[in-house]
Structure formats: structure tokens, C-alpha cells
Amino acid sequence: MVQSTGPKKIKCAVFISGTGSNLKSLIQFSKKKNSLISIELIISDNPKAKGLNLGKIPKISKKVFNYQERKIAEKKIISEVKNKKIKLICLAGFMRILSKNFIKSFKGKILNIHPSLLPKYKGLNTHERAISNNEKYSGCTVHFVSSKLDSGKIILQKKVKISKRDTAKSLAKKILNQEHKLYPKAIRKVFSL
Ligand code: GAR
């Protein structure tokens, strides 16, 4: 009798620079019954990234690349990602800008999560800027990565209300909670599940 090995999972790499709470939610998502992704690789530009301690599952390999020279770092990352036959790259708090060449190498296969309602507040300090502009809402966006910063096609967004008492810190926390739900949803949408 031939035993079924089940459907093939989409091999995924997650790029992080810091805490890795989105990485954590993606790991949980990947472990769900019938999940179509499997996280094979965690990449960081920061050896001290807290998130590196989350992937303490033997199957997930973790690699840190020195970004002093982006070109060299990216070359190594490209070969690592290709070796592992990665089909999806999820940027999750990865605070480096990928080169046009890198993005071209994985066209349509790189997703990013950003803590604002794009196209508003691209770049850094999104919460500070949203509050000081007296916005009533902010939120988060999952989008495809294109060569222009935070400008690729939007996959999903979630609105979050800004209250009068919100500080950048409290707003960041509220939005982060939504990010954890939005990223898995966006992946499901990309693969039409
Ligand atoms: C998240 O809020 C993510 O949207 C943001 O960094 C945080 C990472 O948190 N990303 C960016 O600002 C990218 N421009 P995490 O490490 O706990 O997932």
C-alpha cells in the first residue's frame, strides 16, 4: 500500500530584526492542522534579535548575516534561500531595505507587514506620526514587496482605532496584536485558501 505523505507545504523563510512576535504567530500558524506553509528558515541581520530564540525547533534553521555590506549579505541570503527551495519570504520586522536585485530574484514571492494603513505612513515612526497628525485610525498592512519602499500591492489591511489616550507605545501594542492575525490571513489569501 502506498502511504500518502499529505499535501506539499509551501516552504517559507521569515526575515526578522528584533522581537519576532510576528515570527511567533507565523510559527503557530504553520503548525496548525492542514496549514499549507512550513517555516524552513529564519534570517536575521541582527545577532541579538530576540526572535532568534523563538525558532528553537530543530527543523527551522537560523542564519544571521552581517549587513555591513548589503551586497555580500544579500548574495549569501539568496543562495541560502535557493538552497532551501524557499517559495515564500515573509518579512516580519526586518528593518533592512532589500535591493532591487534581491527583489527581482524572488519576484512576487516576498511579503511584508507594515504598522500603518499604507499608503499612509511609509517608513519608520509610523505611530508617532499618526498620533501627531490626529488620525482617528491607524492599523497594519500586508503587502507584496516591490522595489519602492512600502509601496507594493496591498494584500490585506486591518484598521485600529486611535484613542485620545493612546501613546506611540500603546498604539504599537494594539496594532501588533492585529498584525499577528493579519499576516496568516494574508498568506491564506495569497494562496487562495
Ligand atoms: C511590527 O510592528 C512590524 O509591523 C514592524 O516592526 C514590528 C516588528 O515586531 N515592521 C516595520 O516597521 C517594517 N517597516 P515583531 O519583531 O515583534 O514582529
Side-chain angles (χ1 to χ4, degrees), residues 16-23 92-95 112-115 123-124 127 150 172 175-176 179-180:
I16 61 165
S17 296
T19 314
S21 67
N22 276 292
L23 165 66
F94 186 64
M95 305 312 269
N112 181 41
I113 188 149
H114 184 77
L124 300 174
H127 311 306
D150 299 330
I175 291 178
L176 202 53
E179 290 183 36
H180 301 154

Side-chain angles (χ1 to χ4, degrees), residues 110-122:
I110 313 174
L111 310 185
N112 181 41
I113 188 149
H114 184 77
S116 79
L117 293 173
L118 290 173
K120 279 192 167 177
Y121 307 112
K122 296 172 184 176

Side-chain angles (χ1 to χ4, degrees), residues 85-136:
K85 301 198 163 47
I86 299 296
K87 297 287 180 278
L88 176 70
I89 293 175
C90 295
L91 307 183
F94 186 64
M95 305 312 269
R96 300 278 177 176
I97 294 173
L98 299 170
S99 70
K100 283 194 174 128
N101 178 50
F102 187 97
I103 294 165
K104 231 171 78 190
S105 308
F106 301 102
K107 206 168 172 259
K109 292 180 182 161
I110 313 174
L111 310 185
N112 181 41
I113 188 149
H114 184 77
S116 79
L117 293 173
L118 290 173
K120 279 192 167 177
Y121 307 112
K122 296 172 184 176
L124 300 174
N125 305 319
T126 54
H127 311 306
E128 286 85 344
R129 287 186 284 146
I131 288 172
S132 70
N133 283 345
N134 292 316
E135 297 280 5
K136 290 204 164 53

